[in-house]
Amino acid sequence: MAAEPERDSLPISDCTTVVQPHLNQLLTAVILLDEQLHIEYMNAAAEAILDGSLRRFQHQPFFSLFHFSSLDPSVVQQALQDEQSVSDSDVSLVLHDGQRITIEFIAQPLRQSDGRLTILLELRQIDQIRRINQETRQQQQLQAAQSMVRGLAHEIKNPLGGLRGAAQLLAGELDDPALREYTDLIIRQADRLSTLVDRMLGSNQIQTREPANIHALLEHVVQVARLGADLNVRWVKDYDPSLPDLTMASEQLEQVLLNLVMNACDALQESHTPEPTICLRTRIVHQQTIHGTRYRQCAVVVVQDNGPGIPAALRDTLFYPMVSGRAGGTGLGLSIAQNLVHQHAGKIEVSSEPGHTEFSVYLPYIETRVDTPLGDKQKSTSNKESRRE
């Protein structure tokens, strides 16, 4: 009886043909590249990530599929030459249609039976995982910041009230108007510090909410920003006219959006960015889960600029109070904005790299909330874990 051929002796074309049905069932994207890093094979998961078919991409250079890649092609080429595997858990890719994805990858060199060297890429998209982690981190930041600020406010406002009261009593006993200037100064400075603490706390009062057009609100924000910013900005408005009216506290959301827009203006001005551009984009997304609650519809407002990006040292603490990347900044704007968005059951997502920074504000349509047993189960599990900690 003739011996069965060894698995390694099969040509690569035969191998992919034999295992293709199984590869297409994998959630991990699998791509085979030749020595020139041209695509020989990709499974269904890879087609989904790269938004194209094998028939369309076969024999094309892999890195030509992207407008931007944080992965240097020379790294993969060197791994192929050294016959050593390489991996990276955080690779940013921008497709030619502008879609941004984040992946983790493993590149494994393979020598075929005919002596050719190929490289097998395993890609896994981690955008959803990163979004969940970012949402959890922001929630923790908000809770920690609020706890810290409440304690700080208590320690500051009580002595301030005593100082202000004492200054008022002293002013009533003074006959010399020149001396009253000093008591008036104490009172003014005490009021200023009290106002600063109130700003740190943010507004906990939920204003009256009513249906309103988010685009009208954005137009007012742009008008205010144009008058307040000493910069000739090119404004790009990419509005989705199909967005329904959103039930909201207009003044609070105007404060949020104005803060994001003015931050973008300041970043562009301080960096002297050539052709400074701010893009305002609105979209509607479906079946969005925010803080464990699912909504059938959610409005998304994006404030995008082409400035220098957010420094890496600030990204993890961006929403903490008193944290600012500008010399004259108070570090309160984003903390307050986050608090106001949370009061609307929404969230803020951030992505930043040199030349492209996006703040995405998710504002759910509360009336489309879906209460599911899964959501309750997730909340219950989260509460149990919190108690164990």
Side-chain angles (χ1 to χ4, degrees):
M1 184 174 64
E4 292 183 2
E6 295 182 4
R7 188 180 302 271
D8 291 341
S9 65
L10 286 172
I12 188 64
S13 58
D14 294 340
C15 289
T16 54
T17 301
V18 171
V19 301
Q20 183 172 349
H22 302 288
L23 290 176
N24 284 333
Q25 294 176 13
L26 293 178
L27 296 178
T28 300
V30 176
I31 302 174
L32 188 71
L33 307 180
D34 62 18
E35 291 181 285
Q36 287 74 43
L37 304 187
H38 291 190
I39 296 173
E40 287 193 358
Y41 170 78
M42 55 197 294
N43 67 348
E47 292 178 334
I49 288 179
L50 301 179
D51 195 23
S53 65
L54 173 61
R55 178 173 296 182
R56 175 185 171 191
F57 291 148
Q58 195 168 29
H59 307 308
Q60 288 193 31
F62 175 70
F63 286 96
S64 70
L65 306 184
F66 312 111
H67 177 69
F68 167 82
S69 170
S70 64
L71 176 64
D72 192 335
S74 64
V75 173
V76 180
Q77 193 71 59
Q78 190 64 42
L80 186 64
Q81 293 173 3
D82 298 342
E83 297 191 45
Q84 295 289 329
S85 62
V86 294
S87 62
D88 195 326
S89 61
D90 188 7
V91 175
S92 297
L93 303 172
V94 180
L95 303 180
H96 285 290
D97 63 359
Q99 180 185 357
R100 295 171 176 271
I101 59 175
T102 307
I103 63 167
E104 59 181 16
F105 90 103
I106 301 174
Q108 177 66 50
L110 296 175
R111 185 171 292 278
Q112 304 305 321
S113 57
D114 58 2
R116 291 186 311 116
L117 264 178
T118 58
I119 194 157
L120 185 70
L121 297 183
E122 296 179 51
L123 312 180
R124 189 164 72 96
Q125 193 168 353
I126 58 174
D127 298 83
Q128 183 66 19
I129 297 173
R130 292 192 65 180
R131 278 196 293 269
I132 293 172
N133 290 339
Q134 186 181 61
E135 183 178 319
T136 302
R137 186 167 60 250
Q138 285 188 13
Q139 186 79 358
Q140 292 171 345
Q141 286 182 0
L142 180 62
Q143 292 172 353
Q146 288 177 336
S147 177
M148 178 190 71
V149 169
R150 287 193 186 101
L152 184 62
H154 177 76
E155 295 298 325
I156 292 176
K157 294 191 78 170
N158 284 347
L160 277 179
L163 287 171
R164 192 183 192 284
Q168 286 178 317
L169 291 174
L170 181 59
E173 298 295 327
L174 296 175
D175 296 327
D176 187 351
L179 294 177
R180 288 201 191 99
E181 290 184 15
Y182 299 106
T183 56
D184 290 343
L185 178 63
I186 295 173
I187 292 171
R188 286 198 304 271
Q189 294 303 311
D191 289 342
R192 186 181 69 83
L193 288 174
S194 181
T195 301
L196 178 62
V197 172
D198 288 338
R199 287 183 61 200
M200 290 175 63
L201 284 170
S203 174
N204 289 319
Q205 296 181 352
I206 300 178
Q207 297 180 2
T208 303
R209 299 182 184 181
E210 56 186 9
N213 188 299
I214 193 69
H215 299 138
L217 188 65
L218 281 168
E219 286 300 305
H220 188 252
V221 167
V222 171
Q223 184 180 17
V224 174
R226 278 176 170 161
L227 294 174
D230 186 19
L231 184 68
N232 186 20
V233 175
R234 184 172 74 95
W235 297 89
V236 178
K237 300 172 185 177
D238 182 9
Y239 297 161
D240 181 354
S242 69
L243 253 68
D245 285 353
L246 182 69
T247 301
M248 60 182 172
S250 297
E251 290 185 7
Q252 290 183 335
L253 284 186
E254 182 179 337
Q255 182 181 355
V256 170
L257 297 172
L258 183 59
N259 178 274
L260 297 179
V261 169
M262 292 306 297
N263 280 355
C265 289
D266 291 340
L268 293 170
Q269 183 175 12
E270 293 176 5
S271 62
H272 304 289
T273 300
E275 300 182 7
T277 303
I278 294 178
C279 175
L280 300 177
R281 185 167 61 251
T282 61
R283 291 292 185 268
I284 188 165
V285 293
H286 301 277
Q287 303 301 337
Q288 188 75 20
T289 300
I290 302 177
H291 307 309
T293 302
R294 186 159 61 92
Y295 301 89
R296 287 192 297 271
Q297 286 186 328
C298 182
V300 184
V301 181
V302 177
V303 179
Q304 174 188 319
D305 68 75
N306 63 337
I310 300 169
L314 292 180
R315 290 176 190 172
D316 291 338
T317 58
L318 194 60
F319 292 94
Y320 281 140
M322 313 306 290
V323 174
S324 176
R326 295 185 292 113
T330 63
L332 298 178
L334 286 178
S335 177
I336 294 172
Q338 186 193 43
N339 186 38
L340 294 176
V341 171
H342 274 251
Q343 289 180 16
H344 284 77
K347 64 178 180 178
I348 303 178
E349 289 185 352
V350 185
S351 65
S352 182
E353 62 190 38
H356 186 101
T357 296
E358 280 190 9
F359 282 83
S360 301
V361 182
Y362 288 76
L363 300 167
Y365 291 91
I366 303 297
E367 61 275 13
T368 69
R369 173 175 173 168
V370 179
D371 293 315
T372 62
L374 177 59
D376 295 337
K377 182 178 179 181
Q378 289 174 337
K379 292 178 184 177
S380 175
T381 303
S382 177
N383 291 336
K384 289 179 182 178
E385 291 176 352
S386 299
R387 286 197 294 269
R388 284 199 296 268
E389 291 174 356

